[in-house]
Amino acid sequence: MASSGQFAIVTGASTGIGLELARCCADEGFDLLIAADEPEIEQAAASLRADGAKVEAVQADLSTSEGVEKLYAAAKGRPVDALLANAGRGLGHAFLDQDLADIRRLIDTNVMGTVELIHKVGNQMRGRNAGRILITGSIAGFTPGSFQAVYNASKSFLNSFSFALREELKDTKVTVTCLMPGATETEFFRRADMMDTKVGTEKKDDAGDVARQGFQAMMDGESDVVTGMKNKLQTTVANVMPAETLAKQHRKMAEPGTAKQ
């Protein structure tokens, strides 16, 4: 594939939606810097290079300022045309049963790591008056997530942050798009220790389909995209249903043991 000369950073790109977003960028001729907090990021880079993409990979823990700085430094000052802020982690089980260190790492990854990286790259983009930002939020951000309380709250933050940042940048040529998928076939639920739940074991959306819709929305400069008709319906219902009822419904999907029901 021919290079377009454009440069994209994709986080959380070792597997799942992030890797598929990187593929979308590669297909459009973007040079790539991809990141994840695990060594599998090198395998992801190799697979993208095999398809003809120009890719650099960095293993960095984006739950830390040091990790964010390591990633940003790896760009070597090159102007970023597209930032796809996809890195995130999940955490199942009841809040009071979760380890506080795991809770903190989720918040530091999903919220602070995302915010810190966007602050760095976004300032560069605003200075050039050009750029695209894609933030992977979630339809989970519309629902109080019983047995995923901190995760859903982190996605609620990202959804809200995305729309607010877009409004602040409306008089510039920097666009902000929020990708809001539903349950997707990735490593997410296994890593979140949710394979004994209904949501963890039921049929999910295809990561490639989700990524393509999110990438196209970013390229078109759209404000947001909810992937899948079922998910669109869920967000519509969530906007009118009482929060207490939503939390009760979420319990039926995410409480440990619901996979057997």
Side-chain angles (χ1 to χ4, degrees):
M1 65 192 72
S3 172
S4 67
Q6 292 194 300
F7 177 52
I9 296 176
V10 186
T11 67
S14 56
T15 60
I17 295 172
L19 177 55
E20 296 301 328
L21 285 170
R23 290 193 198 285
C24 292
C25 290
D27 288 344
E28 285 293 315
F30 281 86
D31 296 338
L32 281 164
L33 173 60
I34 61 173
D37 63 356
E38 57 186 5
E40 285 79 3
I41 193 63
E42 294 293 347
Q43 297 171 22
S47 71
L48 292 165
R49 291 188 195 109
D51 292 333
K54 184 177 179 182
V55 187
E56 290 188 28
V58 58
Q59 184 178 343
D61 183 357
L62 300 183
S63 71
T64 68
S65 292
E66 293 79 11
V68 173
E69 185 55 45
K70 180 180 179 182
L71 172 58
Y72 189 70
K76 300 174 183 174
R78 183 172 178 180
V80 180
D81 297 290
L83 170 61
L84 295 85
N86 170 77
R89 61 181 63 250
L91 190 60
H93 295 277
F95 170 71
L96 294 179
D97 295 332
Q98 295 169 345
D99 186 85
L100 187 58
D102 292 337
I103 292 169
R104 187 183 299 277
R105 191 164 186 222
L106 184 153
I107 295 170
D108 286 343
T109 302
N110 296 12
V111 177
M112 276 310 303
T114 302
V115 167
E116 190 168 348
L117 182 60
I118 291 174
H119 193 266
K120 285 179 177 293
V121 176
N123 267 294
Q124 182 202 92
M125 289 179 171
R126 186 177 62 174
R128 293 168 44 234
N129 197 30
R132 307 174 192 276
I133 298 170
L134 179 70
I135 298 172
T136 301
S138 174
I139 67 164
F142 292 93
T143 303
S146 44
F147 298 90
Q148 275 185 290
V150 179
Y151 171 77
N152 282 38
S154 75
K155 289 299 184 176
S156 181
F157 176 95
L158 290 178
N159 292 355
S160 174
F161 172 71
S162 178
F163 284 104
L165 181 60
R166 180 182 176 87
E167 175 64 21
E168 291 178 6
L169 292 169
K170 71 173 185 177
D171 295 325
T172 74
K173 293 182 179 179
V174 180
T175 62
V176 182
T177 303
C178 190
L179 169 59
M180 294 181 279
T184 304
E185 198 60 60
T186 68
E187 290 292 299
F188 174 87
F189 292 98
R190 181 186 62 78
R191 291 174 175 175
D193 192 19
M194 295 184 67
M195 295 309 295
D196 62 344
T197 67
K198 186 174 188 296
V199 69
T201 52
E202 68 181 2
K203 183 171 170 37
K204 302 174 186 64
D205 296 331
D206 178 74
D209 290 342
V210 169
R212 283 187 289 273
Q213 291 179 61
F215 179 81
Q216 193 58 54
M218 178 190 76
M219 294 302 290
D220 292 343
E222 295 177 11
S223 63
D224 63 290
V225 56
V226 175
T227 57
M229 283 307 301
K230 185 176 101 171
N231 299 325
K232 287 180 171 68
L233 178 61
Q234 280 186 255
T235 60
T236 301
V237 171
N239 283 324
V240 297
M241 191 172 287
E244 184 177 12
T245 303
L246 291 170
K248 286 180 180 178
Q249 288 187 339
H250 198 277
R251 180 183 198 124
K252 297 174 184 176
M253 298 288 294
E255 185 174 16
T258 50
K260 303 184 186 71
Q261 297 174 14

